[in-house]
Amino acid sequence: MESERSNFLREACKVARSAGQIIRDGFGSIHKVEFKGEIDLVTDYDKKAEEHIVSYLQDRFPRHSFLAEESGLISGNTSRRLKWVIDPIDGTTNYAHGLPFFAVSIALLERDRPIVAVVFDPLRAELFAASLGHNSTLNGASIRVSTISSLDKSLLATGFPYDVRSSKDNNLSHFSRLTLCTQGVRRLGSAALDLCYIACGRLDGYWELRLHPWDMAAGGLIVAEAGGKTTDLNGETDWLANPSIIASNGHIHAALLSALHPETQSDTSDVQ
Ligand code: LIP
């Protein structure tokens, strides 16, 4: 099993790097930008990178399933329900606007649970990787979450759903509340990198509403195998089954969960 999983990880790393080169080559040139929604973009490089990743992995694992952001679900036929979950450019809005913060995100799920994860930032040449039960790495070196133990001393990140303009549950009240009880809250624009930055200690916590599996499947495993904690917004462990996520270094998770649910706090309690 280990040699099989090592092979899955090796192939995922290889295709993440080659896809990263494709999007790096396109970065900064004028793209064909299409709107999937008012603020939900897709570029020709999202599609080009995704086609490259899916065809590479399908050639090697023809019986596997694939769930990719732009092309959707391709069903396979393995008893273990092996499924690749792919975001060719996580941070597409940044990419389309020339802001240098985006990544390729690839995860392999077995029975809906991530077992292999790769997130590659082609501009910084940073490859984050994890295999279930093995420590997360950054360019091959082990990484661990931070030791920050109070929300007041933590640096967090979040994002906003694509329906932010129309939905009342748009995270703006959470953002303002958490800004007032932490060292700061960053909105960097790539869930996959937000999660990897927790895994290597650059951030202490993250939360976001209404993501897709391809945004968070790889980053969630990388956090867990770096000693962090990932739950859904209610603290449940089956985080990939729900669209809203909390991830942290573990030490601040309860305080972050509580701060995101002020309705559950007593009037006198302070957010620690
Ligand atoms: C993005 C996420 C980001 C979120 C954006 C979008 P995409 O993924 O990485 O965290 O705030 O709304 O979902 O669309 O660039 O793959």
Side-chain angles (χ1 to χ4, degrees):
M1 184 70 79
E2 277 312 300
S3 59
E4 180 194 51
R5 196 170 291 171
S6 302
N7 181 48
F8 290 149
L9 183 59
R10 188 169 40 252
E11 295 295 354
C13 290
K14 194 171 177 183
V15 73
R17 288 187 184 281
S18 53
Q21 189 58 52
I22 290 171
I23 63 177
R24 182 187 173 101
D25 291 347
F27 183 58
S29 59
I30 303 298
H31 300 298
K32 181 182 171 199
V33 180
E34 296 171 36
F35 285 78
K36 297 188 283 188
E38 275 187 306
I39 56 174
D40 189 355
L41 311 179
V42 58
T43 74
D44 46 350
Y45 281 92
D46 290 84
K47 295 176 180 175
K48 194 180 294 185
E50 185 171 295
E51 285 162 18
H52 170 75
I53 297 166
V54 173
S55 61
Y56 181 94
L57 294 173
Q58 258 186 331
D59 284 349
R60 285 153 184 79
F61 311 112
R63 296 181 55 224
H64 291 189
S65 299
F66 294 81
L67 175 62
E69 180 172 9
E70 310 311 335
S71 52
L73 180 64
I74 301 171
S75 295
N77 60 355
T78 62
S79 58
R80 294 153 57 193
R81 302 206 324 266
L82 291 167
K83 175 165 65 178
W84 294 93
V85 178
I86 299 160
D87 192 341
I89 304 179
D90 187 67
T92 294
T93 301
N94 290 348
Y95 186 80
H97 285 266
L99 186 67
F101 196 79
F102 48 85
V104 178
S105 181
I106 300 172
L108 176 62
L109 277 53
E110 179 174 358
R111 295 188 180 89
D112 299 325
R113 185 182 183 196
I115 59 170
V116 162
V118 175
V119 174
F120 181 53
D121 174 345
L123 294 185
R124 295 172 185 80
E126 290 191 327
L127 189 133
F128 298 88
S131 174
L132 186 64
H134 295 269
N135 208 79
S136 299
T137 58
L138 167 51
N139 292 345
S142 287
I143 52 176
R144 302 300 291 174
V145 295
S146 72
T147 56
I148 297 289
S149 57
S150 78
L151 206 54
D152 179 63
K153 295 292 182 286
S154 67
L155 183 62
L156 309 182
T158 190
F160 298 97
Y162 279 125
D163 62 358
V164 63
R165 294 180 179 178
S166 54
S167 167
K168 292 195 182 320
D169 183 21
N170 59 14
N171 196 30
L172 288 170
S173 59
H174 290 324
F175 184 85
S176 57
R177 184 164 59 253
L178 270 295
T179 296
L180 297 175
C181 63
T182 63
Q183 294 295 300
V185 183
R186 301 291 180 261
R187 198 285 194 257
L188 300 173
S190 167
L193 286 178
D194 292 338
L195 290 162
C196 289
Y197 279 27
I198 293 173
C200 66
R202 294 173 186 169
L203 289 170
D204 309 305
Y206 163 75
W207 82 95
E208 189 155 352
L209 311 181
R210 296 196 293 288
L211 288 170
H212 292 97
W214 47 76
D215 296 317
M216 56 184 176
L221 178 62
I222 292 168
V223 168
E225 297 299 343
K229 182 171 183 175
T230 307
T231 67
D232 70 9
L233 210 68
N234 296 313
E236 301 298 329
T237 53
D238 192 12
W239 52 274
L240 196 54
N242 298 293
S244 300
I245 188 173
I246 302 176
S248 76
N249 62 10
H251 308 300
I252 65 166
H253 208 88
L256 180 52
L257 180 65
S258 174
L260 290 167
H261 291 279
E263 70 282 0
T264 63
Q265 292 177 24
S266 58
D267 294 344
T268 54
S269 69
D270 295 329
V271 172
Q272 296 305 314

